[in-house]
């Protein structure tokens, strides 16, 4: 047979994919210096404030289809990966991987990492324009998006990615503008 290597690429469209201090927060406090899955202190604890409201961290308006984040439960366990203004995404219970909200998601994947961290990849059913955002929900049996935190309980996030691809690709860290990485795909053709 003939083996061919096809070169393709993917782009992480997010600005500051690990520096959530550069994102827009709503009723959330960010605590930097948390230990990430790669054993660096580059993860964040996101802590809902005592405002009886929604609690989120958002990037900027972008067009894409697959949103990913690495997250870990803390005192809270329910995290919504959402595309604001397009109003589509997935709510994941970081404790048992159950899904509490699913709107226009084509497929998703949850990968277990070290020390309770999980990589969550969510592909929407089409490409949409909106603001990639992460929302903390309360711990109710039917989780609520509107609640009052206590200013200390939260959960952990690290390494976000938003792509135009229809599946999540290798993570590309951004420290400002989008970053494109090359992917090498091995295609084998039988005879």
């Amino acid at each position: 047979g003939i083996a061919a290597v096809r070169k393709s690429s993917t782009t992480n469209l997010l600005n500051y994919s690990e520096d959530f201090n550069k994102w827009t927060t709503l009723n959330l406090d960010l605590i930097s210096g948390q230990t990430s899955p790669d054993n660096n202190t580059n993860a964040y604890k996101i802590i809902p404030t005592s405002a009886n409201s929604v609690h989120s961290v958002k990037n900027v308006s972008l067009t894409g289809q697959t949103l990913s984040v690495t997250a870990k439960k803390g005192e809270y366990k329910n995290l919504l990966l959402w595309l604001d203004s397009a109003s589509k995404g997935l709510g994941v219970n970081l404790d048992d991987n159950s899904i509490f909200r699913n709107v226009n998601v084509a497929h998703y994947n949850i990968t277990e990492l070290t020390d309770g961290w999980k990589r969550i990849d969510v592909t929407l059913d089409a490409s949409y324009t909106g603001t990639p955002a992460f929302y903390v929900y309360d711990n109710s049996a039917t989780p609520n998006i509107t609640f009052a935190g206590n200013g200390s309980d939260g959960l952990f996030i690290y390494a976000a990615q938003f792509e135009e691809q229809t599946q999540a690709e290798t993570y590309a860290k951004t420290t400002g503008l989008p970053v494109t990485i090359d992917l090498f795909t091995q295609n084998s053709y039988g005879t």
Side-chain angles (χ1 to χ4, degrees):
I2 303 162
V5 176
R6 180 175 57 84
K7 183 176 168 187
S8 64
S9 64
T10 189
T11 301
N12 187 352
L13 301 168
L14 295 174
N15 297 313
Y16 302 103
S17 63
E18 292 177 18
D19 188 356
F20 295 101
N21 273 322
K22 298 271 199 321
W23 293 38
T24 302
T25 56
L26 187 63
N27 305 311
L28 262 190
D29 292 325
L30 296 172
I31 309 293
S32 62
Q34 308 295 314
T35 303
S36 73
D38 7 348
N39 268 330
N40 293 311
T41 51
N42 51 355
Y44 282 81
K45 186 172 187 182
I46 57 175
I47 299 173
T49 66
S50 58
N52 189 18
S53 184
V54 301
H55 310 274
S56 67
V57 57
K58 308 177 186 198
N59 204 269
V60 295
S61 185
L62 297 163
T63 301
Q65 191 164 356
T66 298
L67 179 61
S68 307
V69 71
T70 299
K72 175 176 144 174
K73 72 173 184 176
E75 296 82 14
Y76 288 107
K77 62 187 178 186
N78 294 311
L79 182 68
L80 179 73
L81 289 72
W82 197 245
L83 197 57
D84 269 8
S85 67
S87 297
K88 297 167 195 332
L90 190 76
V92 178
N93 177 324
L94 297 169
D95 185 37
D96 63 10
N97 297 345
S98 60
I99 304 303
F100 64 85
R101 188 143 191 224
N102 182 329
V103 183
N104 291 88
V105 172
H107 56 89
Y108 66 89
N109 190 51
I110 301 171
T111 307
E112 300 281 348
L113 305 173
T114 59
D115 192 33
W117 286 95
K118 299 161 198 263
R119 160 112 175 174
I120 304 157
D121 304 307
V122 177
T123 300
L124 302 174
D125 58 5
S127 183
Y128 296 99
T129 300
T131 306
F134 304 114
Y135 288 83
V136 180
Y137 277 58
D138 74 5
N139 289 333
S140 309
T142 306
N144 296 304
I145 193 171
T146 301
F147 67 97
N150 62 9
S152 64
D153 291 352
L155 53 78
F156 301 89
I157 60 171
Y158 166 69
Q161 181 146 308
F162 189 51
E163 305 165 82
E164 291 179 5
Q165 317 278 104
T166 55
Q167 64 182 39
E169 298 292 355
T170 308
Y171 171 66
K173 177 181 177 177
T174 67
T175 52
L177 297 176
V179 169
T180 298
I181 53 170
D182 288 330
L183 310 166
F184 292 93
T185 308
Q186 182 82 36
N187 290 327
S188 296
Y189 300 96
T191 48

